[in-house]
Amino acid sequence: GGLVQDADHGAWARECLGAYQKTPGPPMLPGFTDIINGVPTENFTVQEGWDFISGYGGGLSNWDLISMPSGLCMDSLACSFKNCKWDAEIGNALATFDPRADALQALKDQGVTLNLPDQIAFPKSVKDVVDVVEHAKANGMPVSIKTSSHSYAGSSTLAGSVQINMRDFPKYSQVPFLNSIVTGELPAVTPCNETWLSANGYEMTAACKLASARGKPAAMRVGGGETWDGPYRAVDNANYFLKAAINQTVEVMGGGAGTVSAAGGWLQGSGLSLGYERVYGYGVDNVLELEMVLPSGQHVKFGPSEWEDAEGFLYPRTTKVQGFCNSNVTEDEMQWKWDECEEVPFEDLWYAVRGGGGGTYGVVTAVTFQVHPKRDIQVLSGDFSGLNTICRYTEYPASEKHISETKGCKELQDAFTDFWIDVLFNPSGVGISEETSNNCGNADFAFNIGGWPSYGGSLWCANGGAQEVAGAWTTYWQNYTGPVPDGVEEYWDAWLKALTISEVRSYGSALIAGDAMRDSIFPEGHVADNPSAWISMPDSGWSALVPVDFFLQKNDDVHDMVMGRISGFHLAGGNVGTAQDQMTPLSQPYRISGAQTFFTSEDSNFVPLIQEFYPKPNSPNTMVGGTEYNHISSDEFGPLKDDHSTLCPALYSHAERTEKCVSVQEAVWGTETLARLESIKEAVDPEGLFQCQKCVGFKE
């Protein structure tokens, strides 16, 4: 009944496994293990398998799993098991297991190994977090951290650990703006306007000073247990008061799903957004200040205190980081006392925590983000049904032969791809401005015609950019001189006008409003999660950063790549190389990336083609990065140790991958940066207290 309790694994079976078993569809099919690894079988092609898996769990939202009393549910069911791997043995065991009637030992007797914590705590204050850390140290137990379990690699659960579940931690963004003003507290969304702050009895905070230096009108403090649903709604709610206070409304750069942690793994893994990174940089580039409980038990806050303008960069270069230690850790935050402390390597923490992976350097209890002047948001959608009737693009890959053999179908598809490549990475090529290009993006974009209905068929734009792109579309196709399919005349006028525009208030409000118009699995008034709960992510493959210059080839390699993806493209490019303070561990491939996408282990032919556009490693045995961290598969490794141009085979066991393949950590951060991160981990956590799968310093 105290703060730290024994984890109830039986409750996991009843609540978590039970929730998945209540979802339509069987938990195991012939060939299922091969499907999730991207290996075609006699039952399914890869795409058919993924269509099934994506639909399975359609009635189960991660919102449901987060709220289960035990706190043990994982967004991906497979991550409840060893190495976050699903196999036939697990599937067969679960097929006959009734969590309401059978003892959990029945699963264990069939060889199923759970990866669940031994103990769990739900802290409601920083003092609680400190007490849990001290408890773990006193009992010689590792610490794992969970907010929403959205980690595809299961980094938020660990067998034998004390889990700090941040579900009940204060949600600072949810304190209403007016409540803060009348109680004398600083609003979560703080106007960084010296006149307004002074008039209301506040001083200019360190975070606001940095925000002002970056030309940003406000800052927002978010609690360590918050998901992006809260900050999105908080900004929209605060705008009513900000308009009156400083004649300015704002928006925040955040994650694509309402259940993605705002201060945990999303942020600390880099922070991919909705394409907003094309304007504002990655999530890590939007941080102004961090608050943490370290493995030592110290409660600290830190951020840049000095900076200088940097030619060619949108944000000043950080030259000094200052931090403070709380000498009075109480539940009442008004009683906290911040003192200078020199024993903590704040500069190293500022570097490591913003992109060096979550769950390993300590517990982030709060993060302060810069927020931006609000743009007018538009959704650009497309209806290509006419051409689909001729070329059957939406049936790909089953229609691959039809597309290649039908006159004009492949050429039309390639021209479609080339148009969007220019829109995003070479805007002058289609007569639009760079500003318009950067203001358009998406977290799951399709460069192929058939993908638009599958992925929602949209591009999120701002400040009139959608109209400019739609005009460029019409002009592009009016000037098109390539071959076209027979019978296209019937649909050509509709093709020229295929793009439509809708105005929305904000990303968060658009998703909430859309779900409010229909019966939905998501809680009313909250931002949806995407993807919803899964049985398993693929346990191998490559979460790849594809450089802008690779796209700009617009050759067969590029066209084949965009047609063969089982997922969309998380768009980057734009300002991702320049919107930074030059003090993050993100690899250079992040900074030259045009998009993130996922390759199965069968796609090794693309690896050397893409690597050709990365910076060259110092030696054949080292890596420069190139793997994107937030979306790595559940047991992903880097390429083969003796051949960096070949992906780690899907059919390798975990032990074989460990022996023969580069670690995913080295594939993400590169050899040199990983060594620095491991050194920082050793300095702040010499006993290896904080442990998480696929994290820096993880000990299997």
Side-chain angles (χ1 to χ4, degrees):
L3 174 60
V4 180
Q5 304 177 40
D6 289 339
D8 186 348
H9 294 182
W12 165 82
R14 294 187 298 275
E15 298 169 3
C16 310
L17 179 56
Y20 278 94
Q21 290 186 337
K22 292 291 186 181
T23 311
M28 187 70 177
L29 288 181
F32 188 93
T33 304
D34 289 333
I35 293 166
I36 62 177
N37 288 321
V39 180
T41 73
E42 62 180 352
N43 300 290
F44 290 103
T45 66
V46 171
Q47 188 64 53
E48 289 170 339
W50 270 71
D51 288 344
F52 167 78
I53 295 167
S54 298
Y56 181 68
L60 180 58
S61 165
N62 198 30
W63 282 112
D64 298 318
L65 298 178
I66 293 170
S67 66
M68 293 295 178
S70 70
L72 296 173
C73 299
M74 298 298 295
D75 194 14
S76 173
L77 179 60
C79 287
S80 302
F81 308 107
K82 186 177 180 180
N83 295 323
C84 207
K85 288 175 71 73
W86 180 279
D87 57 28
E89 190 174 66
I90 292 172
N92 291 335
L94 295 185
T96 59
F97 182 77
D98 182 352
R100 293 164 298 181
D102 298 336
L104 195 61
Q105 188 62 41
L107 285 182
K108 297 178 181 179
D109 289 344
Q110 296 185 66
V112 175
T113 303
L114 296 178
N115 187 33
L116 301 176
D118 282 0
Q119 296 184 327
I120 192 168
F122 299 90
K124 297 181 179 180
S125 67
V126 167
K127 184 180 185 304
D128 284 348
V129 175
V130 171
D131 288 346
V132 178
V133 170
E134 295 297 342
H135 167 88
K137 289 196 293 185
N139 288 274
M141 299 176 69
V143 174
S144 59
I145 311 168
K146 177 192 279 188
T147 299
S148 65
S149 82
H150 216 283
S151 165
Y152 292 174
S155 297
S156 53
T157 187
L158 185 67
S161 69
V162 179
Q163 183 177 95
I164 297 177
N165 187 310
M166 297 290 281
R167 180 178 68 192
D168 297 339
F169 196 78
K171 295 173 173 54
Y172 300 126
S173 77
Q174 298 305 286
V175 178
F177 190 93
L178 188 59
N179 287 27
S180 298
I181 298 298
V182 299
T183 59
E185 297 181 357
L186 201 65
V189 183
T190 304
C192 294
N193 179 294
E194 198 160 6
T195 301
W196 183 89
L197 289 168
S198 178
N200 287 275
Y202 305 114
E203 295 182 355
M204 193 78 159
T205 64
C208 267
K209 290 176 182 177
L210 180 55
S212 297
R214 294 180 172 188
K216 307 302 178 184
M220 179 170 62
R221 184 172 180 241
V222 174
E226 296 198 51
T227 63
W228 272 111
D229 164 69
Y232 281 142
R233 290 185 292 107
V235 164
D236 284 345
N237 291 337
N239 274 333
Y240 175 86
F241 296 96
L242 292 175
K243 183 68 175 177
I246 59 173
N247 195 32
Q248 175 74 66
T249 54
V250 297
E251 65 184 27
V252 65
M253 183 275 196
T259 55
V260 166
S261 167
W266 173 86
L267 172 69
Q268 296 169 64
S270 71
L272 270 61
S273 185
L274 321 161
Y276 285 19
E277 54 266 69
R278 291 172 51 77
V279 182
Y280 304 133
Y282 295 110
V284 295
D285 301 317
N286 285 261
V287 176
L288 302 172
E289 187 174 73
L290 290 161
E291 299 170 45
M292 296 181 68
V293 172
L294 302 179
S296 63
Q298 292 171 291
H299 179 216
V300 299
K301 71 173 179 179
F302 54 97
S305 57
E306 296 181 15
W307 48 82
E308 63 185 17
D309 290 339
E311 185 176 354
F313 290 85
L314 296 179
Y315 300 156
R317 184 175 72 88
T318 295
T319 58
K320 184 178 179 181
V321 176
Q322 186 174 25
F324 301 89
C325 294
N326 182 3
S327 61
N328 189 38
V329 180
T330 65
E331 294 182 2
D332 182 0
E333 297 189 15
M334 300 297 285
Q335 303 301 315
W336 289 353
K337 184 180 179 183
W338 294 107
D339 299 321
E340 291 189 10
C341 49
E342 297 181 357
E343 69 274 16
V344 179
F346 289 117
E347 191 166 297
D348 283 340
L349 284 170
W350 181 249
Y351 173 86
V353 176
R354 296 180 312 128
T360 192
Y361 309 104
V363 184
V364 173
T365 56
V367 57
T368 302
F369 289 101
Q370 61 188 16
V371 293
H372 312 272
K374 189 177 185 301
R375 301 170 298 165
D376 296 324
I377 305 299
Q378 306 155 310
V379 181
L380 187 67
S381 303
D383 180 1
F384 310 122
S385 55
L387 269 293
N388 274 318
T389 62
I390 299 175
C391 295
R392 294 166 49 193
Y393 294 120
T394 55
E395 300 174 33
Y396 188 89
S399 62
E400 182 176 6
K401 183 177 180 182
H402 174 82
I403 293 171
S404 64
E405 293 181 352
T406 302
K407 187 193 78 171
C409 284
K410 185 178 187 310
E411 292 83 358
L412 199 70
Q413 167 59 64
D414 292 347
F416 177 94
T417 297
D418 293 349
F419 171 78
W420 292 112
I421 288 173
D422 278 345
V423 165
L424 295 164
F425 310 126
N426 180 38
S428 63
V430 287
I432 66 174
S433 68
E434 183 177 348
E435 180 181 4
T436 289
S437 172
N438 290 352
N439 269 313
C440 290
N442 195 321
D444 198 13
F445 186 70
F447 285 94
N448 56 343
I449 298 171
W452 275 60
S454 301
Y455 304 135
S458 65
L459 192 68
W460 291 74
C461 296
N463 294 347
Q467 286 88 346
E468 196 172 338
V469 173
W473 165 272
T474 301
T475 300
Y476 180 85
W477 291 109
Q478 286 174 335
N479 295 327
Y480 177 69
T481 58
V484 295
D486 293 335
V488 76
E489 297 82 5
E490 179 181 352
Y491 306 106
W492 196 248
D493 285 346
W495 177 262
L496 294 177
K497 302 172 184 176
L499 299 184
T500 57
I501 301 167
S502 56
E503 307 281 341
V504 299
R505 178 186 175 210
S506 67
Y507 175 76
S509 65
L511 266 62
I512 291 171
D515 285 331
M517 299 297 292
R518 58 188 174 87
D519 293 333
S520 166
I521 64 173
F522 309 118
E524 196 74 15
H526 292 273
V527 179
D529 62 331
N530 180 32
S532 295
W534 293 63
I535 302 171
S536 175
M537 300 300 293
D539 77 359
S540 65
W542 184 28
S543 176
L545 295 165
V546 183
V548 166
D549 286 346
F550 179 84
F551 282 102
L552 288 175
Q553 296 176 105
K554 293 189 283 191
N555 59 9
D556 287 345
D557 294 335
V558 175
H559 298 148
D560 290 346
M561 177 187 70
V562 303
M563 288 299 288
R565 299 284 49 76
I566 56 177
S567 65
F569 288 82
H570 216 132
L571 294 175
N575 294 334
V576 297
T578 59
Q580 57 160 313
D581 74 344
Q582 303 178 63
M583 202 173 175
T584 74
L586 299 190
S587 68
Q588 189 58 26
Y590 268 97
R591 299 301 182 181
I592 61 173
S593 171
Q596 175 272 342
T597 194
F598 186 80
F599 292 95
T600 71
S601 58
E602 288 204 324
D603 292 322
S604 279
N605 59 301
F606 286 107
V607 177
L609 300 176
I610 291 171
Q611 287 176 337
E612 185 65 28
F613 291 85
Y614 290 165
K616 302 306 177 192
N618 292 330
S619 74
N621 296 322
T622 60
M623 298 198 69
V624 297
T627 295
E628 183 273 338
Y629 190 63
N630 280 146
H631 299 86
I632 58 173
S633 56
S634 59
D635 196 30
E636 184 168 330
F637 278 70
L640 292 173
K641 290 179 180 178
D642 58 8
D643 180 6
H644 288 180
S645 66
T646 300
L647 295 178
C648 193
L651 299 181
Y652 275 6
S653 66
H654 179 79
E656 288 174 314
R657 295 177 192 187
T658 302
E659 176 188 355
K660 299 177 181 180
C661 302
V662 173
S663 73
V664 74
Q665 292 92 330
E666 187 173 357
V668 169
W669 290 290
T671 309
E672 292 183 7
T673 298
L674 177 60
R676 180 178 176 187
L677 291 172
E678 289 173 337
S679 175
I680 295 170
K681 166 70 171 176
E682 175 67 23
V684 300
D685 188 12
E687 302 301 320
L689 182 69
F690 283 79
Q691 291 289 309
C692 55
Q693 295 184 146
K694 303 299 183 183
C695 296
V696 172
F698 177 53
K699 301 173 183 176
E700 289 199 51

